[in-house]
Structure formats: C-alpha cells, structure tokens
Amino acid sequence: MTYENLDAKLVNLLLGDGRASLRSLAEELDVSVTTVSNHLSTLEDDGVIEGYTPRVDYDAVGYDVTAIIQLQVEGNALPDVTETLRDHRQMTSVYEVTGDYDVIAIGKFEDTDGMNDQIKQLLTDPDIKASNTSVVLNAVSENEQFDLEVDENE
C-alpha cells in the first residue's frame, strides 16, 4: 500500500472511534501495527492529535443549561478577560472574534441560577463594556468533528 493519505485516513478512523486498537486500525488501513504506531506517534508529536478524551453528554450529568455569552471588552484587557473565562470550569469554549463583540464564550450550567451567578460575577469586571447572553433552547449539533479530506485517486 502507498502511504499517501495514510495520516488523514488514520485520523478519520480515530474520529469514528478514539479507542480503536492499533491492531484494528492497522487491519482497517491494511498496514502493519508498527506503521500505525509510528504514524500515530508522529501525529501526536506534530500536535495534529492533541489527546484522547471522552465526549460527555452534559445534560445527562445535570448540566441542562447552555449559554452563549458575548462580551465587548476594553482593547488591552482582552487577554485578561479571555484567560479569566478560560479558567471558569464551566466554560467549554472561549473565542476571540471579530464583529460587535470581542469574545464569545459557551458555558454549561446546572440551572439558570448558576448561569446568572456566573454572568453577574463576570459583569463586575470593569474591563467588560457590554454583554449579551443567549440561552440555548435545543442543541441540534454540538461538538461535532468532521473527517479530513482524502484524495482517493492517490
């Protein structure tokens, strides 16, 4: 087998099952276990694969409220505000963005009271000029990953 696209195919298999064994990956790719192991190590060393984590259904463990928080921040305070948000354990994503707001954070909360407490705490920061919070009514698609493109002609 040619090793063209092997890394992309390996990543795609792991996206489908992050707990797949080296042997099953090797069988699926029609290469040796050693080849899979070597390519996997390279992908990890290069930072393509950053780790293996479970996908948690936060609703199932009691975090029923998802909020999208948009913040306008004083220009020079952006790193401090994003670091503060990053340190909040319930913030699952924090983005610096363009547009009317500077930061978008997505948080998971047990209830609206917990969400309100976190938001009120954030708004005491004098570097936050304005905020807008939206509560998610229904998560249609969340934390989805996509397969990498593979050139089938190679």
Side-chain angles (χ1 to χ4, degrees):
M1 166 187 185
T2 176
Y3 292 141
E4 295 295 322
N5 296 311
L6 180 65
D7 289 344
K9 290 177 182 177
L10 179 56
V11 168
N12 289 343
L13 288 173
L14 289 169
L15 285 169
D17 180 5
R19 294 177 55 166
S21 69
L22 293 177
R23 182 176 309 286
S24 68
L25 293 169
E27 289 173 3
E28 184 73 26
L29 295 168
D30 194 29
V31 297
S32 73
V33 171
T34 302
T35 298
V36 169
S37 178
N38 290 340
H39 279 257
L40 194 53
S41 292
T42 299
L43 289 167
E44 291 168 351
D45 291 344
D46 291 347
V48 174
I49 296 175
E50 296 179 344
Y52 303 86
T53 60
R55 284 189 165 172
V56 175
D57 179 345
Y58 285 100
D59 287 345
V61 293
Y63 291 84
D64 298 328
V65 177
T66 300
I68 300 167
I69 303 163
Q70 299 172 304
L71 302 171
Q72 286 180 348
V73 178
E74 292 293 340
N76 61 351
L78 189 58
D80 293 335
V81 171
T82 55
E83 193 61 33
T84 297
L85 286 165
R86 184 178 171 174
D87 290 343
H88 280 262
R89 73 177 186 89
Q90 290 170 271
M91 296 299 167
T92 59
S93 301
V94 178
Y95 304 100
E96 292 180 7
V97 298
T98 61
D100 293 335
Y101 292 92
D102 304 303
V103 177
I104 294 178
I106 302 178
K108 303 285 188 176
F109 304 93
E110 291 179 352
D111 52 34
T112 54
D113 289 340
M115 177 192 69
N116 286 334
D117 291 344
Q118 287 271 342
I119 292 169
K120 287 176 183 174
Q121 181 183 4
L122 281 173
L123 295 179
T124 63
D125 187 332
D127 292 322
I128 296 176
K129 297 188 294 187
S131 72
N132 181 37
T133 301
S134 298
V135 175
V136 173
L137 298 176
N138 182 32
V140 176
S141 177
E142 187 172 58
N143 297 323
E144 294 300 320
Q145 300 211 44
F146 57 89
D147 286 351
L148 302 179
E149 289 187 31
V150 176
D151 184 357
E152 295 298 334
N153 296 324
E154 292 184 17

